Amino acid sequence: MKQISSINPFSGETLDTYEAFDLTALDSTLAAADQAQKMWQTTELSTRASVLRSLAKQLKAQRDTLARTATLEMGKTLASARAEVDKCAWACEYYADNGPAMLQSETVPSDDDAERIICYQPLGLVLAIMPWNFPYWQVFRFLAPALMAGNGAILKHASNVPGCAMAIEAICRDANVPENLFRSLLVSSKDADRLIEHPLIKAVTFTGSTNAGRKIASTAGKCLKKTVLELGGSDPYLVLDDADIELAVEKCVTSRLLNNGQSCIAAKRFIVHDSLYGEFASAMAAAMNKKRVGDPLLEDTDIGPQAKQDLCDELTRQVNETIRLGAVLVSGGQSEGATYWPTVLGEVRPGMPAFDEELFGPVAALIRARDENEAISLANQSAFGLGSAVFTRDAARGRRVALALEAGACAVNDFVKSEPAMPFGGIKASGYGRELGPFGIREFTNIKAMLLR
């Protein structure tokens, strides 16, 4: 039987080994899950809400153990890992409290004697192909609404976080989620197509790279299966000429360094008005240099390693190539093992990796803009469209610029973050569909129109 190893990216130590899922058992496993889902969809909404509250309770009770597993497997700091588990519990509670109302049938007004109703029915088994960077949150922000809607869920998690994948399955058992309604299958990425194509899988949700998203969408499209894709981002943060510099630096640095810089919605490109550029660059470099880099298991560590050595190597390549093309290294730029120090690149322009590509690590790309219009143009000059932000003291101006930015989310005088009540997703090469909020729970339902006479 093939083994899957869990490796600590900070120490290089092998943490554990797991048996890969035996694909010869796929038909029987999915048949059992399908049967469990068919029973689940007949349950009352109040019953489903009760199970979600039980999930939240278990997440809170096992918070420290879950957090340590995530820190060991992918290198996020303990504080970040604890916050992630808390957020998962929040999502479960949010859908337990609000999901039933979101799924209530709606009556459409009419001027004849017919009754027109819109109802939301589950699709069946939904396959979730999830990444390593938020190994719990990425799963639960899908799982909570999917279960509330009456669906079943099959998880194919990233291969470097098998411990987190199995911990989620264990949490579901502890919370009395019906047996087989949620299964975590340890299979390789090359075997994902077999899961997508299986007739008992009715839809697919994926979070990850744009290139992988294209492949998954292609496979699912051939089978005419619904997909939701949350892909890469190169989020622009605009610092206009009337911005509060201290606030802008605080929010921008916080966003850029989220999760060791490994977040799709982290700030990536900082488009700064000429008049503030020098002050902003100095202040950002100073703030980045204050961050403590080291062992993510230590409570005072701010920045841990990248999740894998090859990710650190790719980040190094992108930074070096950006500098070769004319950018300036303002601060940082060094690495050790899989750890990359917080880095600020100045004078970044279109055509450089730091502008055109997603830099999935603690590297800030500073870009000059002569005025508001050029800042907006530079922001939108990207294949991506996930998050964005604008900093200005003028509320009306902030709203106007936010509306002009091509992204699925925009913050004014703050950084973008996901939360249960707000829709989350992108446009362009950042994907399509929405998670969270009422939109997220309805993505994997049959929105059925009924005409009754």
Side-chain angles (χ1 to χ4, degrees), residues 111-372:
D111 56 5
D112 59 17
D113 61 353
E115 185 179 6
R116 291 169 172 82
I117 297 174
I118 301 169
C119 61
Y120 303 94
Q121 296 181 310
L123 294 181
L125 293 183
V126 182
L127 171 65
I129 303 176
M130 293 289 111
W132 44 262
N133 57 332
F134 292 96
Y136 301 126
W137 172 241
Q138 302 281 12
V139 176
F140 275 91
R141 77 183 188 196
F142 149 74
L143 184 60
L147 292 180
M148 189 68 237
N151 292 304
I154 302 297
L155 172 64
K156 183 265 179 264
H157 219 325
S159 59
N160 60 321
V161 288
C164 292
M166 301 317 294
I168 296 170
E169 189 171 276
I171 281 282
C172 288
R173 285 195 301 269
D174 293 342
N176 293 317
V177 173
E179 186 178 4
N180 295 315
L181 187 63
F182 171 81
R183 289 297 310 273
S184 182
L185 308 185
L186 299 183
V187 300
S188 67
S189 295
K190 66 181 179 62
D191 293 320
D193 282 0
R194 288 189 60 178
L195 301 183
I196 297 170
E197 293 167 350
H198 197 282
L200 291 179
I201 295 295
K202 304 304 181 185
V204 183
T205 182
F206 170 74
T207 298
S209 72
T210 298
N211 286 338
R214 289 191 178 100
K215 294 174 183 176
I216 287 165
S218 176
T219 302
K222 291 174 185 175
C223 303
L224 295 178
K225 294 183 181 181
K226 172 77 177 287
T227 53
V228 169
L229 304 179
E230 193 266 284
L231 309 178
S234 184
D235 291 9
Y237 276 43
L238 282 59
V239 182
L240 304 183
D241 56 341
D242 64 343
D244 178 331
I245 285 288
E246 185 177 350
L247 174 69
V249 169
E250 175 200 344
K251 300 295 186 181
C252 289
V253 170
T254 298
S255 180
R256 177 58 288 202
L257 298 182
L258 282 171
N259 204 40
N260 302 339
Q262 299 167 120
S263 171
C264 296
I265 55 166
K268 309 268 172 59
R269 295 178 296 139
F270 302 89
I271 302 171
V272 186
H273 190 274
D274 258 332
S275 64
L276 301 180
Y277 182 90
E279 182 183 357
F280 182 87
S282 297
M284 173 170 261
M288 298 274 266
N289 289 337
K290 289 179 181 177
K291 300 300 180 181
R292 186 182 294 271
V293 179
D295 186 345
L297 285 174
L298 300 179
E299 295 288 353
D300 61 351
T301 295
D302 298 308
I303 304 293
Q306 302 298 278
K308 295 187 291 182
Q309 183 63 53
D310 62 330
L311 298 171
C312 188
D313 294 342
E314 172 62 9
L315 188 62
T316 300
R317 181 199 68 77
Q318 291 172 305
V319 169
N320 290 343
E321 179 64 9
T322 297
I323 294 170
R324 188 189 72 78
L325 291 172
V328 175
L329 180 63
V330 178
S331 66
Q334 70 266 35
S335 63
E336 181 179 339
T339 301
Y340 202 93
W341 264 250
T343 296
V344 178
L345 296 174
E347 309 301 341
V348 173
R349 301 185 302 277
M352 298 177 176
F355 188 100
D356 297 342
E357 302 172 12
E358 179 177 33
L359 267 61
F360 215 59
V363 179
L366 273 54
I367 301 150
R368 289 182 185 267
R370 289 167 295 186
D371 54 34
E372 177 186 306

Side-chain angles (χ1 to χ4, degrees), residues 103-116:
L103 296 167
Q104 288 297 326
S105 297
E106 302 169 27
T107 300
V108 178
S110 60
D111 56 5
D112 59 17
D113 61 353
E115 185 179 6
R116 291 169 172 82

Side-chain angles (χ1 to χ4, degrees), residues 387-434:
S388 59
V390 55
F391 292 87
T392 172
R393 297 176 193 267
D394 184 335
R397 187 186 194 191
R399 182 183 292 267
R400 183 183 69 244
V401 173
L403 287 169
L405 296 175
E406 297 171 355
C410 186
V412 178
N413 295 324
D414 203 348
F415 60 91
V416 175
K417 52 186 81 84
S418 59
E419 54 186 72
M422 292 290 283
F424 181 80
I427 60 173
K428 303 195 288 189
S430 291
Y432 53 75
R434 290 295 180 267

